[in-house]
Amino acid sequence: MAASKTVRSTVLLPEPVHRQVQAVAAAHDVSSAWVIGQPLQYLSTRAGQSELPLGNSRT
């Protein structure tokens, strides 16, 4: 299977969220990009699904 093309993207975060991402990254000895990328990786494995397990579904 051919590797998919990747692109760079910029994300603007509120300062408290940025600090939280940095703290999680430091605690697990990974980059902040890796921490931010994990939910995106999850979403890519769920392509085509109409619902996400976000915890507070709107009904």
Side-chain angles (χ1 to χ4, degrees):
M1 179 182 347
S4 62
K5 180 179 176 182
T6 61
V7 295
R8 182 177 300 268
S9 185
T10 300
V11 178
L12 300 176
L13 304 171
E15 284 186 33
V17 174
H18 182 256
R19 284 192 298 271
Q20 206 171 18
V21 167
Q22 289 180 316
V24 169
H28 296 281
D29 197 27
V30 296
S31 69
S32 57
W34 186 90
V35 172
I36 292 169
Q38 289 308 292
L40 302 174
Q41 181 66 33
Y42 174 81
L43 290 175
S44 72
T45 64
R46 303 288 191 196
Q49 293 184 1
S50 61
E51 294 185 28
L52 294 173
L54 298 177
N56 63 0
S57 60
R58 296 178 183 196
T59 55

